[in-house]
Amino acid sequence: MTLTRAQAEDFLFHEAELLDDWLLEEWADLYTDKSVYEVASPSCEDPVNADPDNTLFLISDRIDRIRGRAKRLLKPTAHAEFPRSKTRHMVSNVRVVSSDDGTTRTRANFAVFRTKEDTSTVYMGEMHHTIVEDGGALRILSKRCILDLNSLYNQGRLTIIL
Amino acid sequence: MALYDPVNSSLVDANPEKGTFRVHRDAYRSDEVFKQEKELIFSKCWLYLGHESELEKKGDFRSRRVGGRDLIFIKDKKGVDRAFYNTCTHRAAKICRVAKGNARTFTCPYHGWVFSSEGELKSQNASTGYVEGINDDGHLDLRPVERLEDYRGFYFVNFNPNAISLHDYLADARSAIDALCDQTEGRQIILSGDHSYTIRANYKLLCENSYDGYHLFPVHASYFDYLKDQMAGTEGEKLIEQALKSYNTAGQARALGNGHAILDSFVPTGRPVAQWLPSLGLDTKDEVEAKYASLVERYGQDRADYIANTQKNLVIFPNLVINDILSCTVRTIEPESENFIRVHAWAMGPEDESEKLRAIRLDNFVSFLGPAGFGSPDDIEMLEICQDAAGHTPLEWSEISKGFGKADDPLVAEGPPDDEIQMQAYWTMWDRVMRGIETLEEK
């Protein structure tokens, strides 16, 4: 089965909801043992095709670090997220780019609003997902976020999950 | 709160009899002090501009802010590396408005003046009305930075024409740079990509943090938890426990003269050059061990062990950090005000390393060192809460006494990794420059 736009949209909304509810381990469960979660550096010249093996990314997590990131961020010793940020993930303009053989590739626009203590910032851009069916459930094989930023001068850092 | 008076008082209070070394918090929070620093520190010290490997082809350029000045760093068409102020000599407009590129000339967007890569004014667009030969003395050429010098490919600028040489300024920090460059028979290069972010704290707080061994366990507990999870059930797990237990005693913090200092420590994450640990993966063992053997052959056992096995956190006064640890960062700290900084960080690695090791090096960087990693954001949080609280409490002094008094001159002291002697060296230099005791000028 391949996904319709509406099904893909529902799935991406579900991922966003888990993140905004800080259900991070449930979020990590959306990923498979072969998954990657990546955020290209704002200065990256070709963020869609860049390879984190030879270019510095902001985030390039394989599954161990996806799970490790979720686990770490829930600890009070993850000082950067204690007290925790409030986040609001807005996902829009969802498009199914291609689908075959149980794999659906999507592109979507995103804006994530983050409030930490009394400072609010926004991370915006486009995200590319590859979604697969795995044991009867939908899972994310890869997610790459491409920020519409030239630096993190306004945001400072990136400690939430986009 | 007391306002800093550079003539009659010092913001650094070193008292050997009491064993205390204190820094007045105005040094972090006062706008007045920051204004003086711009004049006395950032106009007199050597400031890192960029690395030669960033300019490979003739015409390659980078635009950078260094010490509050926007500069163009360029390899001109003859192959000479140069640095100019990024301003048109006509009416001041910035002539370069992109971060990087390749150019034979720069054209000012305002009135169309054209400058060559060597800085010469080539065209005034319409030159009628100007007297003939108006630029015969070159005063309308791009203004080069007063001094531009490099040490092993690391380019620094100095806005003081009378400054001592970069070579003398770096003092023993040269040997720390050597230990980085000598890792490879080829050369070290800046790798593709960078990180640029901001911190709402004073630049000196990040300098302190960058080689502060004392904060490692409280601030990075969650990172070590993560490492232990990753290594659970492997032989790497035991190594982590051992390395963490001996952390405080196994290495050394050393002042290198002129306010520079280094922390040499042992942290249980492998180094692509040239310390193989299980965390690097079995398939890299032969390659990393071959690199180690090559180091022994070239430099002898002791130097090879130092180059390969110690994690080095180097701060070159006043604002360059080179963390040659599980990966290698070159990081500049650009102060925008007394409580706001821009950080620019690059990954460095040997040009001749394999794809596999390059990938591990970058992965290590992303895991811990970047603004989205598992380490730096926790450090940044600490700096911001220090800055915030220092700004609104009546406490006047910060305590930086750990290990104080090991040498008569803090600029050349040494101690265990969790001492604060590296910061004492920094602050001693800072104090001497701010009070004019040290001018950093040729006599």
Side-chain angles (χ1 to χ4, degrees):
Chain A
M1 164 196 152
T2 51
L3 300 183
T4 64
R5 198 265 306 141
Q7 288 169 321
E9 201 169 26
D10 283 346
F11 181 68
L12 297 183
F13 290 170
H14 173 59
E15 185 191 16
E17 186 177 357
L18 292 177
L19 290 169
D20 289 339
D21 289 344
W22 279 84
L23 296 169
L24 302 188
E25 293 190 307
E26 290 81 349
W27 168 78
D29 286 342
L30 294 180
Y31 291 72
T32 77
D33 285 349
K34 291 182 179 152
S35 293
V36 295
Y37 162 56
E38 299 165 331
V39 180
S41 288
S43 62
C44 188
E45 280 166 25
D46 182 10
V48 176
N49 300 304
D51 179 357
D53 282 356
N54 54 43
T55 295
L56 189 61
F57 271 48
L58 281 176
I59 293 176
S60 64
D61 290 353
R62 288 180 294 279
I63 189 62
D64 287 350
R65 201 151 70 219
I66 290 171
R67 291 177 185 142
R69 187 176 293 275
K71 189 172 176 186
R72 191 185 93 83
L73 285 174
L74 293 170
K75 295 181 180 185
T77 48
H79 306 290
E81 279 300 330
F82 185 85
R84 268 179 208 168
S85 297
K86 290 176 180 169
T87 70
R88 188 60 53 194
H89 287 68
M90 314 295 276
V91 178
S92 73
N93 302 49
V94 177
R95 292 89 87 195
V96 171
V97 177
S98 66
S99 57
D100 69 302
D101 248 7
T103 301
T104 302
R105 290 161 52 95
T106 63
R107 286 167 60 176
N109 296 353
F110 72 88
V112 183
F113 300 89
R114 173 211 188 207
T115 298
K116 175 77 166 56
E117 305 196 42
D118 297 315
T119 303
S120 300
T121 50
V122 58
Y123 302 84
M124 62 290 201
E126 184 177 64
M127 52 191 181
H128 296 219
H129 280 78
T130 303
I131 303 166
V132 293
E133 210 181 326
D134 180 46
L138 294 179
R139 305 218 184 272
I140 299 165
L141 196 57
S142 72
K143 173 179 180 178
R144 178 174 292 194
C145 297
I146 296 152
L147 293 160
D148 293 336
L149 300 171
N150 295 323
S151 69
L152 289 176
Y153 287 159
N154 286 331
Q155 294 75 12
R157 50 197 174 272
L158 175 60
T159 52
I160 55 170
I161 295 166
L162 294 178
Chain B
M1 285 174 241
L3 190 63
Y4 176 50
D5 172 359
V7 178
N8 297 313
S9 67
S10 169
L11 289 175
V12 175
D13 171 40
N15 187 332
E17 280 167 27
K18 280 177 71 181
T20 59
F21 189 101
R22 307 187 306 164
V23 172
H24 197 283
R25 289 183 180 176
D26 279 357
Y28 306 100
R29 66 192 177 190
S30 156
D31 173 47
E32 204 57 38
V33 171
F34 180 64
K35 281 186 191 136
Q36 289 165 357
E37 286 181 304
K38 282 210 286 196
E39 191 183 320
L40 296 166
I41 305 279
F42 288 91
S43 301
K44 297 285 173 79
C45 295
W46 283 94
L47 306 174
Y48 180 70
L49 171 64
H51 191 261
E52 65 171 15
S53 63
E54 294 178 274
L55 307 179
E56 292 285 36
K57 297 193 295 291
K58 290 169 184 170
D60 280 356
F61 68 85
R62 296 285 188 275
S63 57
R64 298 249 151 100
R65 179 170 298 185
V66 179
R69 282 97 162 159
D70 281 331
L71 307 179
I72 303 170
F73 179 39
I74 186 167
K75 186 181 285 296
D76 75 16
K77 64 175 175 286
K78 291 177 184 150
V80 179
D81 295 334
R82 297 175 181 268
F84 300 108
Y85 289 96
N86 186 359
T87 181
C88 184
T89 48
H90 177 222
R91 296 273 279 285
K94 261 188 209 181
I95 58 162
C96 177
R97 297 189 291 161
V98 293
K100 60 191 275 197
N102 184 279
R104 298 169 70 100
T105 57
F106 293 97
T107 302
C108 177
Y110 195 6
H111 297 90
W113 284 27
V114 179
F115 300 90
S116 73
S117 60
E118 291 107 323
E120 291 166 348
L121 176 63
K122 303 303 275 188
S123 163
Q124 285 150 279
N125 191 11
S127 56
T128 50
Y130 289 110
V131 298
E132 199 157 322
I134 189 170
N135 192 36
D136 284 353
D137 62 357
H139 79 281
L140 295 175
D141 293 342
L142 289 183
R143 176 69 63 89
V145 166
E146 283 71 10
R147 297 279 292 277
L148 172 71
E149 291 174 19
D150 85 296
Y151 182 72
R152 300 196 69 170
F154 291 84
Y155 273 100
F156 291 70
V157 294
N158 199 310
F159 303 116
N160 177 7
N162 303 317
I164 58 170
S165 70
L166 175 66
H167 185 275
D168 290 346
Y169 179 81
L170 289 175
D172 289 340
R174 290 195 311 270
S175 97
I177 293 173
D178 291 342
L180 171 60
C181 296
D182 293 345
Q183 287 176 2
T184 168
E185 288 165 78
R187 56 175 196 157
Q188 292 281 7
I189 59 168
I190 296 291
L191 306 179
S192 166
D194 59 14
H195 288 158
S196 49
Y197 51 101
T198 52
I199 303 176
R200 292 188 295 167
N202 186 275
Y203 73 94
K204 299 182 291 302
L205 283 171
L206 181 55
C207 290
E208 290 176 359
N209 173 267
S210 296
Y211 49 16
D212 176 4
Y214 192 22
H215 81 291
L216 201 67
F217 297 109
V219 174
H220 300 303
S222 72
Y223 176 70
F224 293 120
D225 289 348
Y226 162 74
L227 277 187
K228 284 180 207 159
D229 285 350
Q230 299 288 298
M231 292 282 124
T234 71
E235 61 172 306
E237 192 177 13
K238 222 178 276 170
L239 282 175
I240 291 181
E241 295 293 345
Q242 276 169 11
L244 293 181
K245 256 183 216 145
S246 63
Y247 177 82
N248 293 344
T249 51
Q252 209 175 29
R254 289 183 292 129
L256 302 170
N258 284 346
H260 322 308
I262 193 167
L263 170 66
D264 297 322
S265 65
F266 296 89
V267 176
T269 43
R271 290 161 51 74
V273 176
Q275 178 189 39
W276 188 83
L277 287 176
S279 60
L280 293 183
L282 276 175
D283 54 345
T284 63
K285 193 166 188 220
D286 291 349
E287 185 183 354
V288 175
E289 288 182 349
K291 280 177 185 292
Y292 176 72
S294 159
L295 285 176
V296 174
E297 195 179 312
R298 282 181 288 148
Y299 302 108
Q301 186 77 48
D302 288 352
R303 180 76 174 160
D305 281 343
Y306 176 71
I307 291 172
N309 299 337
T310 10
Q311 310 252 352
K312 300 167 197 73
N313 295 75
L314 170 68
V315 176
I316 294 182
F317 186 88
N319 71 334
L320 171 65
V321 179
I322 301 177
N323 290 317
D324 176 19
I325 51 177
L326 74 173
S327 185
C328 180
T329 74
V330 177
R331 180 194 273 174
T332 59
I333 309 169
E334 173 70 22
E336 294 287 310
S337 71
E338 75 282 4
N339 59 14
F340 193 65
I341 55 182
R342 293 186 188 189
V343 181
H344 209 149
W346 298 270
M348 178 165 263
E351 190 171 30
D352 57 359
E353 106 190 305
S354 69
E355 284 177 18
K356 177 85 190 161
L357 282 183
R358 175 69 53 81
I360 290 172
R361 170 183 301 282
L362 288 169
D363 195 64
N364 281 348
F365 192 122
V366 170
S367 74
F368 186 78
L369 288 160
F374 290 3
S376 292
D378 292 335
D379 289 314
I380 293 168
E381 191 80 5
M382 297 305 106
L383 311 189
E384 291 192 345
I385 62 177
C386 288
Q387 186 72 34
D388 187 31
H392 66 71
T393 56
L395 286 165
E396 304 269 315
W397 297 91
S398 280
E399 193 77 23
I400 308 184
S401 303
K402 205 167 190 301
F404 180 55
K406 298 207 167 146
D408 290 339
D409 183 354
L411 293 178
V412 293
E414 55 186 60
D418 62 346
D419 264 4
E420 292 169 332
I421 64 105
Q422 58 280 57
M423 295 162 228
Q424 292 151 19
Y426 185 103
W427 280 109
T428 300
M429 185 66 180
W430 184 88
D431 188 47
R432 289 182 192 175
V433 174
M434 288 290 275
R435 294 162 70 204
I437 297 165
E438 175 59 76
T439 62
L440 296 167
E441 289 186 341
E442 296 288 1
K443 300 289 184 288

